[in-house]
Amino acid sequence: MPRKPFVPGAALVVAAALAAGLTACTGGSSTDDEGGDAKSGGTASSSTAAEPGRYQTLPEACGLPARGTLRGMLPGGDQQLSRAEAKKIYDGQPDITYDTDRRVGCRWTRETTAGTRHLSLDIQRVVSYDAAVSDDDKAQGIYDSKELAAQIPPGGSGSPSPATPSPSTTKGNGKGEGTTTNSSTGKKGETASGSPSGASDPSAEPSADPSADLSDSTAPRVLDDLGDAAFLNDKLVTADSGVHRDVTVVFRTSNVIVTLTYDQWSTDKTMLPDSQELQDKARSLAGELSESLSE
């Protein structure tokens, strides 16, 4: 029988094809494993990775509060403002940040003969780089550390403060003053009373206890009706230049933490800035911001 001609090139092609097929079969498994390791534990782990937060960007901070809200929080009495002066006050001064998708802020100031008011806003977007920890959980941890640092008592209520302290929280001493419990320390302190504006007897100096003039309903506390978690802090500080009250509201909504600080300065140490007014306005703005972020 005649032999079939031998073609070297054809044999080489067949051998190369077989080698390529074997390489593809053995190499494909290795590639998949390496890709899974790069995603923290392979396909099974990546499918159970924590969910990202709701917010991927942040709004421009100075433009969030309504102009009417700012006018109410930065009153000028009878002082008339020019258009340029009003623009400077109410437009605010943005904070300098290097990544506006991660943090933004703004500050407003209004100086009058009755004192000076400052308002500041800080908004932080939290991102977790741990696949096992969600952005929301990471944000909650940061919020918890802020609440702990402020020494906010656990529990509490977000209900409005009563117009006057209840008999169970205030005990008169017959001298126009009373004692109230500081809910953050459990200690008794002197409080000025008798004036709707929070002014004490002109001959008296403000108490050395920063929270002494707070009733149980205006003391530092957790707020249960704002965002996913919130608290309010209120501090009265005396200095050589005068007295000022600082009200801070901090709340978390998903992976965003908002810190709002509102304070009033007075050069007259006998006139204490009213806690009720500052707290009400700060909480109102915080609610406005929460709704705006949720849109």
Side-chain angles (χ1 to χ4, degrees):
M1 293 178 62
R3 293 184 179 182
K4 292 182 180 180
F6 177 73
V7 183
L12 292 174
V13 170
V14 173
L18 290 173
L22 290 172
T23 303
C25 291
T26 57
S29 175
S30 175
T31 301
D32 289 344
D33 291 342
E34 291 174 0
D37 291 340
K39 295 181 180 180
S40 302
T43 305
S45 282
S46 62
S47 64
T48 58
E51 290 292 330
R54 174 180 179 180
Y55 301 97
Q56 302 300 313
T57 60
L58 289 175
E60 195 276 313
C62 292
L64 281 179
R67 184 58 62 95
T69 301
L70 292 174
R71 289 194 184 99
M73 298 185 77
L74 305 170
D78 297 331
Q79 183 182 7
Q80 298 296 319
L81 296 174
S82 66
R83 181 173 298 180
E85 289 172 333
K87 179 177 176 60
K88 181 179 179 181
I89 291 173
Y90 299 125
D91 281 1
Q93 180 65 41
D95 291 345
I96 298 176
T97 59
Y98 297 99
D99 186 350
T100 54
D101 282 337
R102 293 294 300 275
R103 195 160 205 155
V104 293
C106 192
R107 300 174 185 277
W108 297 262
T109 301
R110 180 78 186 269
E111 296 181 3
T112 69
T113 55
T116 301
R117 295 202 187 193
H118 303 91
L119 171 65
S120 68
L121 181 61
D122 176 83
I123 307 176
Q124 177 185 3
R125 183 175 70 90
V126 180
V127 178
S128 171
Y129 294 101
D130 185 345
V133 180
S134 69
D135 293 346
D136 285 19
D137 288 343
K138 179 72 172 179
Q140 182 65 39
I142 295 175
Y143 166 86
D144 289 342
S145 67
K146 290 178 178 289
E147 184 178 309
L148 181 63
Q151 298 181 335
I152 304 299
S157 170
S159 59
S161 305
T164 57
S166 63
S168 61
T169 58
T170 302
K171 182 179 181 181
N173 60 10
K175 297 181 180 180
E177 297 177 344
T179 60
T180 184
T181 300
N182 181 347
S183 60
S184 63
T185 62
K187 297 180 179 179
K188 298 286 185 177
E190 295 299 317
T191 176
S193 61
S195 170
S197 63
S200 64
D201 182 345
S203 63
E205 288 291 325
S207 169
D209 184 349
S211 301
D213 66 328
L214 300 179
S215 68
D216 286 347
S217 56
T218 56
R221 63 197 184 278
V222 171
L223 304 177
D224 58 9
D225 56 354
L226 180 63
D228 296 318
F231 71 83
L232 180 148
N233 202 9
D234 189 320
K235 293 183 178 180
L236 182 67
V237 181
T238 58
D240 292 340
S241 57
V243 58
H244 64 94
R245 182 179 295 284
D246 303 332
V247 173
T248 302
V249 177
V250 179
F251 71 90
R252 177 185 73 83
T253 173
S254 186
N255 61 319
V256 164
I257 298 175
V258 177
T259 301
L260 184 162
T261 304
Y262 183 40
D263 67 71
Q264 178 180 354
W265 280 78
S266 174
T267 55
D268 185 352
K269 294 184 180 181
T270 65
M271 299 296 293
L272 305 183
D274 182 40
S275 177
Q276 185 69 68
E277 179 202 356
L278 297 182
Q279 287 194 23
D280 287 349
K281 290 183 176 180
R283 288 191 60 189
S284 178
L285 175 57
E288 181 181 315
L289 296 175
S290 179
E291 291 180 5
S292 178
L293 289 170
S294 299
E295 293 177 354

